[in-house]
Amino acid sequence: MGRTGSEPRVTYTRGELGHRLVRRTDASGIIVTILGWYLNNVDRYTWVIKVLAPKYIEALSAYEVMLTSARASPSGGPPVAPVVMNAGDRGFSEILFLLADKFPETRQSTVTRMTITDVGLAIGVYAPETGVYYSGVQPALEITLKDGKTLARYVNDLRPEIRGRFLEEPLFHWSMGLFWAGIAISFVALFVPEK
């Protein structure tokens, strides 16, 4: 609906307008502060992760399903087949992104599927190419390329990389945005005349 011209026009004095802006600036500052608090406590509020870092949930869930299925073998029962992820499955592209350095062959070819076939445990293993000692889970990843070629090797646990790339990095960008929004709001408030 547009104005018909018969409604009275609302005008504010400079002081009234400044007072309204200060109230809005104060409210905006409170909102930015609350959002910043949620970002700081993201581990306690999963809805924040779902909204701001959905790729983290997809990647971690897919990885955990593959990892758990490779570990599962009921005692005394037949072995359980590991879960296979196919291109297009949720979390597939995120995990593949993290594996590009570990499987350089995937950069020139299309990956059609991946699975974890075994889970090993490394204790104080030294990797000369990175100069890092590692202790922890080492899943045996098997990747199938479009041409049918299969690549397999043990890699270090991907959970820290998944967290860093798909949770901590996006949350850092959101935090930085909120910080600078708060600074801008505070800066604007300095120039608003008080009533």
Side-chain angles (χ1 to χ4, degrees), residues 125-134:
V125 175
Y126 177 72
E129 64 276 358
T130 60
V132 175
Y133 282 95
Y134 175 76

Side-chain angles (χ1 to χ4, degrees), residues 84-138:
V84 175
M85 287 191 65
N86 295 305
D89 289 349
R90 295 182 92 178
F92 183 89
S93 60
E94 288 81 7
I95 294 171
L96 188 59
F97 175 82
L98 296 176
L99 294 174
D101 290 336
K102 296 161 184 55
F103 292 88
E105 305 90 344
T106 61
R107 293 182 185 146
Q108 289 85 24
S109 184
T110 304
V111 176
T112 58
R113 54 181 253 153
M114 73 174 79
T115 189
I116 295 176
T117 57
D118 185 31
V119 179
L121 182 62
I123 300 173
V125 175
Y126 177 72
E129 64 276 358
T130 60
V132 175
Y133 282 95
Y134 175 76
S135 293
V137 174
Q138 281 194 317

Side-chain angles (χ1 to χ4, degrees), residues 23 27 57 62-63 67 132 141 145 150 155:
R23 284 184 25 212
I57 294 172
Y63 179 71
L67 192 63
V132 175
L141 272 156
L145 303 176
T150 301
V155 297

Side-chain angles (χ1 to χ4, degrees), residues 3-123:
R3 291 178 59 129
T4 61
S6 61
E7 299 95 16
R9 185 176 175 146
V10 178
T11 58
Y12 299 106
T13 65
R14 185 176 176 164
E16 290 173 330
L17 181 60
H19 182 66
R20 286 180 174 273
L21 281 173
V22 166
R23 284 184 25 212
R24 286 201 175 116
T25 304
D26 290 345
S28 299
I30 290 169
I31 291 169
V32 167
T33 301
I34 290 169
L35 290 174
W37 184 82
Y38 277 115
L39 285 176
N40 192 42
N41 295 287
V42 71
D43 289 330
R44 296 180 184 194
Y45 301 99
T46 56
W47 66 267
V48 176
I49 297 172
K50 289 177 186 174
V51 172
L52 301 180
K55 288 184 176 186
Y56 170 70
I57 294 172
E58 290 178 7
L60 185 62
S61 297
Y63 179 71
E64 290 283 349
V65 165
M66 286 193 303
L67 192 63
T68 304
S69 74
R71 286 182 179 168
S73 59
S75 56
V80 177
V83 170
V84 175
M85 287 191 65
N86 295 305
D89 289 349
R90 295 182 92 178
F92 183 89
S93 60
E94 288 81 7
I95 294 171
L96 188 59
F97 175 82
L98 296 176
L99 294 174
D101 290 336
K102 296 161 184 55
F103 292 88
E105 305 90 344
T106 61
R107 293 182 185 146
Q108 289 85 24
S109 184
T110 304
V111 176
T112 58
R113 54 181 253 153
M114 73 174 79
T115 189
I116 295 176
T117 57
D118 185 31
V119 179
L121 182 62
I123 300 173

